[in-house]
Amino acid sequence: MNKSLIEQLQGGLVVSCQAFDYEPFYGADFMAKMAVSAKLGGAAAIRASWPENIRAIKKEVDLPVFGINKIMPKSYDKLHDVIITPTLQSARAVVEAGADIVAVDCTLRQGRTPQAVLDLLQEYKTHLNVLIMAEISTAEEGEIAAEGGADILSTTIAGYTPYSRHLEEPDYQLIEELCALTSLPINAEGRFHHPDQVVKAFQLGAWTVTVGSAITRPHCITREFTQAIARLKEQEKITE
């Protein structure tokens, strides 16, 4: 089953349907509708956070779901805090909700050692009968996760750790590095805004590409346009 799922998703687009509680489209009903829209557009799979959203999505679409469980601290530090399915309990919750693949943060943040990541992955592999996707930010972390038994590697956290490359575009170099060091499927994710960027990731060897904000977060899409207008106005002021 796991092997057939990997083969099924090869070359497919994964659409991330997520929203935080301060966003207008927050809620399971909205997430399910976004997933339906993504399926209509040809998505191969859905990425979703929290059990209630995954349950709602699985009721509406028959696509595989990449499940995550974000455990948010009161004061969230994007560069330093580990929030993506950090415990076995959090992983079990999304599996029970219907996730076909569980993604877990495998970075070396918060003082985690390589051995701690290896132990975490072993625990997940022992107790969960689903594919485990290790979300990393560097090639070193990818190598550790591969050693630990991850089924899939994902570039999701590239640029979101203090020590990884901080780029405006996807980290193509990391995709190449991961493809060179392992035969595991590589999910390319992070700062994909245009179709040509997705095509480039596949040309570099990505197994799947995940796109989120550029498809399912209207305020982020709107900001791309308004920022472009603002840049134009600034240029006009300079030339006056």
Side-chain angles (χ1 to χ4, degrees):
M1 171 61 184
N2 288 347
K3 183 178 179 181
S4 65
L5 181 57
I6 287 176
E7 292 173 348
Q8 172 191 335
L9 295 177
Q10 175 75 45
L13 177 70
V14 182
V15 175
S16 180
C17 299
Q18 299 184 62
F20 288 103
D21 57 7
Y22 56 83
E23 297 177 355
F25 285 91
Y26 177 77
D29 289 344
F30 285 125
M31 294 301 100
K33 287 180 172 61
M34 285 184 178
V36 171
S37 295
K39 180 182 178 180
L40 289 173
I46 303 296
R47 177 183 173 93
S49 181
W50 301 309
E52 63 271 21
N53 293 336
I54 294 170
R55 288 192 190 94
I57 288 169
K58 294 293 281 190
K59 287 180 181 178
E60 297 296 329
V61 299
D62 57 358
L63 298 177
V65 170
F66 290 52
I68 65 175
N69 201 346
K70 289 182 177 178
I71 307 301
M72 306 294 297
K74 289 183 179 180
S75 180
Y76 172 47
D77 183 334
K78 182 167 66 174
L79 284 179
H80 296 90
D81 288 335
V82 173
I83 64 168
I84 297 176
T85 329
T87 64
L88 181 60
Q89 181 181 5
S90 66
R92 276 197 174 120
V94 291
V95 171
E96 291 171 359
D100 303 279
I101 296 170
V102 172
V104 56
D105 185 322
C106 288
T107 64
L108 297 174
R109 293 181 289 182
Q110 291 188 330
R112 294 199 295 183
T113 63
Q115 188 59 52
V117 172
L118 294 175
D119 292 343
L120 180 71
L121 284 168
Q122 186 57 49
E123 182 181 33
Y124 282 40
K125 292 293 294 180
T126 299
H127 296 284
L128 302 175
N129 188 30
V130 294
L131 292 168
I132 303 298
M133 184 166 76
E135 306 209 312
I136 51 86
S137 68
T138 66
E140 177 194 3
E141 291 171 345
E143 193 167 13
I144 294 166
E147 181 185 344
D151 300 292
I152 303 160
L153 302 180
S154 180
T155 65
T156 310
I157 312 179
Y160 300 101
T161 58
Y163 47 81
S164 59
R165 286 181 289 269
H166 292 197
L167 307 169
E168 292 186 5
E169 63 177 10
D171 193 335
Y172 299 116
Q173 182 178 333
L174 180 57
I175 297 169
E176 291 183 290
E177 290 171 346
L178 293 174
C179 289
L181 71 83
T182 179
S183 60
L184 290 177
I186 307 300
N187 173 61
E189 182 172 356
R191 299 176 301 281
F192 282 92
H193 297 290
H194 309 290
D196 59 330
Q197 294 175 324
V198 173
V199 170
K200 182 173 180 177
F202 280 122
Q203 290 172 333
L204 293 174
W207 162 66
T208 52
V209 178
T210 297
V211 179
S213 297
I215 295 176
T216 57
R217 300 180 78 190
H219 65 287
C220 293
I221 302 167
T222 303
R223 191 178 298 125
E224 291 282 334
F225 289 92
T226 57
Q227 287 178 342
I229 294 169
R231 288 193 295 270
L232 173 62
K233 290 180 178 179
E234 190 63 30
Q235 290 171 0
E236 291 174 342
K237 286 181 182 179
I238 294 172
T239 57
E240 285 178 356

